[in-house]
Amino acid sequence: MSDLELFRKDTRAWLEAHAPASIIGTPSNELEGVWGGTKWTFDNPDKKVWLDVMAEKGWTAPTWPTEYGGGGLSNAEAKVLAQEMKDLKLPAPLIGFGLTMIGPTLLRFGNEDQKQEHLPRICRGEIRWCQGYSEPGSGSDLASLQTKAVRDGDDFVIGGTKVWTSYADQADWIFALVRTDGSGKKQEGITFILIDMDDPGVSVSPILLISGKSPFCETHFSDVRVPVRNVIHEIGAGWTVAKALLGHERTMIADTFGSSGPRARSQGERSFLSELAISRVGERDGEVADPVLRDDIAAFEMESRAFALTVQRTKDAARAGHQPGSESSMFKIYGTELNQRRYELMVRILGPDALGWEGPGFEPADLDTTREWLRSRGNSIEGGTSEVQLNIIAKHVLGLPA
Ligand SMILES: Cc1cc2nc3c(=O)[nH]c(=O)nc-3n(C[C@H](O)[C@H](O)[C@H](O)COP(=O)(O)OP(=O)(O)OC[C@H]3O[C@@H](n4cnc5c(N)ncnc54)[C@H](O)[C@@H]3O)c2cc1C
């Protein structure tokens, strides 16, 4: 038996021995699952058991080094672990921006103290992170940001406002871009810094979305004192860190919405969309009765599966140490457009049942679909708009003149 086959056998046995039965089949993707942090409440105590045993084993972050709480697995071993978990219908024990965004960034740019301070706590799900990039007036033109950080001894004193900060009200820490110098090129005076959301002077106010939910906030900093040791990389070199993190973010968004989202999973022989369509418009000869709808679902499924395989290749490369580059912009556009198409198809299938908002007369799942369809409009904005991704692809992938 090869080493990898042995690893598979041991992994399977370990998972079967340690996974609580009640978590089998529960959702796990980058939106649904355990986000962790001090404000997180577990709807099922077994999810906490699952998180703790997996964290203890290092398998919340399987490829991260063991000294920082990871599993130290090779790319091939991590893939085997993912396959076995999928086979046993086990959810990821932990999701969130710690694992997908700031963690990989700290591994690359953080100093030893910063890695020791934050990475093990991320792996154990003890702290939840949010992202403080955008500001009122600085979204696509992010480098124009104005949140100011003024040096005062061993601290920076930070003042300004961040906007669209997803889950700021749930987060324990924020990774933020601040302006430490306004004199040179706008990219040069930006610093990447970590801020404790409990620090005096930090406040958040929720923003209500078209979907009726409020996953994000305005985050205000009023004379917040942050130690200089919380700067990642160098003072004034934050733009480099910010861009690297965006590569991880865009790949994660593409993966979440485009290829492994809740509605992307197939159920048995038929896809989720086919099942839904058959339940609403009927079945003829074992297929969706409406031929035009059937055609559109088939086209969508083929593109969706091809995309999932492409993203899988990139994830494999990332596990092997490859940093996502400008190609993440291609995934971001394609993945988010796929997700918007998915919800447009679902709303089309539901017909009048998609017109509900709240109250009796509509199924809860249909009401959710309508809200998720509205939420999907934001996919082509978050993490950088589609137009901005097209600019990046034109310039950095195709090499077209600016
Ligand atoms: C659901 C969601 C979650 C988010 N979460 C976070 C978060 O956690 N943290 C965070 O910091 N930010 C977050 N954002 C903010 C997001 O990054 C910004 O909304 C995005 O970068 C666009 O910036 P803007 O809203 O200021 O739009 P603008 O930059 O004002 O753009 C307006 C329009 O102009 C177009 N445009 C702008 N510049 C160009 C150009 N050069 N060429 C062509 N077209 C252009 C844009 O494509 C867009 O259509 C989130 C946004 C959404 C929708």
Side-chain angles (χ1 to χ4, degrees), residues 131 133-134 139-140 164 166 216 375 378 381-383 385 387 391:
Q131 176 186 35
Y133 275 26
S134 308
S140 302
W164 317 126
S166 299
F216 51 33
R375 167 66 182 83
I381 302 173
E382 60 200 296
T385 68
E387 290 77 16
N391 285 345

Side-chain angles (χ1 to χ4, degrees), residues 21-303:
S22 72
I23 61 154
I24 293 171
T26 54
S28 111
N29 55 61
E30 281 306 328
L31 283 180
E32 291 181 277
V34 172
W35 285 78
T38 57
K39 298 179 184 116
W40 184 260
T41 47
F42 289 87
D43 57 358
N44 169 1
D46 280 349
K47 289 186 182 172
K48 170 84 171 107
V49 173
W50 181 229
L51 170 59
D52 288 347
V53 287
M54 286 292 273
E56 177 72 28
K57 184 87 174 160
W59 285 359
T60 51
T63 58
W64 291 10
T66 50
E67 63 265 38
Y68 304 130
L73 299 189
S74 68
N75 185 25
E77 288 168 338
K79 208 167 169 183
V80 166
L81 171 62
Q83 285 165 351
E84 292 303 314
M85 285 177 62
K86 192 171 175 200
D87 206 45
L88 292 168
K89 296 193 171 48
L90 294 173
L94 182 68
I95 60 171
F97 301 163
L99 288 174
T100 53
M101 287 202 252
I102 186 64
T105 307
L106 282 175
L107 279 170
R108 181 165 167 204
F109 292 101
N111 62 34
E112 192 52 32
D113 287 348
Q114 292 165 340
K115 289 179 188 171
Q116 292 287 357
E117 181 181 357
H118 296 291
L119 294 175
R121 293 163 76 200
I122 291 174
C123 292
R124 292 194 298 266
E126 290 172 2
I127 41 172
R128 181 165 176 175
W129 288 85
C130 65
Q131 176 186 35
Y133 275 26
S134 308
E135 295 181 6
S138 299
S140 302
D141 183 16
L142 185 59
S144 67
L145 61 94
Q146 292 301 324
T147 293
K148 225 182 203 163
V150 179
R151 182 83 183 247
D152 182 21
D154 287 342
D155 292 340
F156 277 112
V157 180
I158 297 180
T161 293
K162 295 289 174 181
V163 72
W164 317 126
T165 330
S166 299
Y167 313 113
D169 52 346
Q170 307 293 319
D172 302 297
W173 280 73
I174 184 168
F175 49 90
L177 297 176
V178 293
R179 181 156 301 287
T180 39
D181 185 355
S183 61
K185 257 179 75 182
K186 59 186 177 182
Q187 286 86 355
E188 285 168 4
I190 292 174
T191 296
F192 191 106
I193 196 162
L194 310 182
I195 306 170
D196 188 334
M197 294 294 277
D198 282 337
D199 280 346
V202 181
S203 60
V204 296
S205 36
I207 304 172
L208 201 62
L209 288 190
I210 188 177
S211 64
K213 291 187 179 160
S214 178
F216 51 33
C217 306
E218 274 193 351
T219 307
H220 312 280
F221 300 96
S222 173
D223 291 338
V224 180
R225 294 194 83 87
V226 181
V228 173
R229 63 181 158 77
N230 285 10
V231 168
I232 303 302
H233 203 33
E234 287 158 26
I235 294 169
W239 191 242
T240 305
V241 186
K243 282 193 299 182
L245 186 140
L246 278 172
H248 293 292
E249 180 180 5
R250 288 172 182 156
T251 305
M252 179 270 287
I253 290 175
D255 186 32
T256 302
F257 295 118
S259 56
S260 63
R263 310 291 183 177
R265 279 195 300 270
S266 293
Q267 297 181 339
E269 291 286 302
R270 291 199 186 107
S271 73
F272 175 85
L273 284 176
S274 303
E275 294 281 4
L276 184 70
I278 284 174
S279 75
R280 303 301 167 114
V281 303
E283 184 174 353
R284 192 179 306 141
D285 302 329
E287 294 176 332
V288 177
D290 178 334
V292 178
L293 188 56
R294 189 168 69 224
D295 197 41
D296 287 348
I297 291 174
F300 174 84
E301 295 295 348
M302 282 189 284
E303 286 169 44

Side-chain angles (χ1 to χ4, degrees), residues 258 296-310 334 338 341:
D296 287 348
I297 291 174
F300 174 84
E301 295 295 348
M302 282 189 284
E303 286 169 44
S304 182
R305 283 182 199 194
F307 180 67
L309 290 172
T310 308
Y334 198 81
L338 264 182
R341 272 174 59 199

